[in-house]
Amino acid sequence: MYDSVIFDHDGVLTTLVDISLLQDATWAAFDELGVVDPDPEHVRQMVIHVTPDDVHTVADAYDLDPETLFRVRDEKSSAFQCDAIADGLKTPYDDFDAIRRIDAPMGIVSSNQQATIDYVLDHLDATELFGTAYGREPSMTSLHRKKPEPYYLERAMADLGVESPLFVGDSDVDIAAAEAAGVDSAFIRRGHRADHSPSPDPTHEVSGLDDLLAIDGVPVVTDPDSTDEAEASR
């Protein structure tokens, strides 16, 4: 029996933003730092899947402090995403409410910014659903801790006081983080993952959040009308 369910965020609980929005946020970060005509390749390096080497390479090219560059990049990325949430361009998936039937502690572990995760949960009035919710802090240290490293997943487990969660994600790094933490995983095959073959192999594969309720070992509230009572007793 799983004693909790922990979720990745983007592409699992809420829809992805268009890559162009993150590109615009990165251009805005360079502008704030006084770099008016950055190399488009350097902008690309700072949009997604950023590594410490990327940050140092780009910072050196413009005589910027790497920590400052990454902090401003993260702040702009978060601000643009929060605007997208407020404007209805980033929304919960239609099956989001299925997780309200899970009768176990829940958490979030995301590689998005902590400020973005906090804003989403507040906007959805969903903060109370989750016993803990981790995004990244706006520092380069977080690049060494993010998935596939199990750092944030293990912190979430400690916060919830659990040992055998099911971790639900939509990417290889999610599955790898679960494996590194020694816990089971569920790969959710949203539309943007229609043709993806996850590696490493997940413990389960589901097409949506509703399917989680049918996984053997996931505690569920049998009567949906009793969900509020179950949550109140936690």
Side-chain angles (χ1 to χ4, degrees):
M1 179 71 72
Y2 297 116
D3 58 9
S4 56
V5 181
I6 302 175
F7 301 87
D8 177 38
H9 179 261
D10 302 278
V12 175
L13 299 176
T14 66
T15 58
L16 302 173
V17 296
D18 191 90
I19 188 67
S20 63
L21 181 141
L22 300 178
Q23 292 168 341
D24 289 346
T26 307
W27 282 101
F30 277 104
D31 185 63
E32 181 165 314
L33 290 165
V35 181
V36 297
D37 190 25
D39 185 328
E41 175 60 20
H42 290 154
V43 176
R44 184 200 64 77
Q45 282 181 273
M46 296 298 295
V47 175
I48 57 172
H49 307 311
V50 181
T51 68
D53 285 345
D54 289 330
V55 180
H56 281 285
T57 296
V58 175
D60 288 348
Y62 304 101
D63 196 26
L64 296 171
D65 172 63
E67 281 287 354
T68 301
L69 170 62
F70 188 69
R71 175 182 55 78
V72 174
R73 176 265 186 196
D74 252 20
E75 290 172 349
K76 289 298 183 183
S77 179
S78 181
F80 275 54
Q81 289 181 81
C82 290
D83 286 345
I85 294 157
D87 293 340
L89 301 177
K90 180 178 176 63
T91 62
Y93 282 103
D94 291 342
D95 56 5
F96 178 86
D97 283 342
I99 69 172
R100 298 180 188 275
R101 290 191 56 199
I102 295 174
D103 191 22
M106 293 187 289
I108 292 174
V109 172
S110 172
S111 292
N112 210 328
Q113 298 86 17
Q114 183 71 55
T116 306
I117 303 305
D118 291 343
Y119 185 91
V120 171
L121 295 182
D122 182 66
H123 184 77
L124 298 179
D125 195 24
T127 303
E128 296 304 316
L129 277 177
F130 302 98
T132 191
Y134 278 100
R136 288 186 304 95
E137 60 273 23
S139 73
M140 288 185 61
T141 299
S142 72
L143 294 179
H144 298 282
R145 295 172 169 176
K146 69 179 183 177
K147 297 171 290 187
E149 295 301 318
Y151 177 84
Y152 293 111
L153 178 54
E154 290 174 343
R155 286 192 66 177
M157 291 168 60
D159 287 352
L160 295 174
V162 300
E163 297 181 349
S164 56
L166 177 65
F167 186 49
V168 184
D170 70 325
S171 68
D172 292 352
V173 295
D174 295 323
I175 310 308
E179 187 173 273
V183 303
D184 284 1
S185 59
F187 176 76
I188 188 166
R189 192 173 290 282
R190 299 290 192 190
H192 63 283
R193 294 300 191 194
D195 300 318
H196 184 68
S197 298
S199 177
D201 292 332
T203 314
H204 310 278
E205 183 174 317
V206 296
S207 60
L209 296 174
D210 293 309
D211 291 347
L212 292 175
L213 307 180
I215 292 178
D216 186 31
V218 174
V220 299
V221 177
T222 304
D223 179 3
D225 292 335
S226 65
T227 303
D228 292 339
E229 180 181 342
E231 289 180 348
S233 67
R234 289 179 189 168

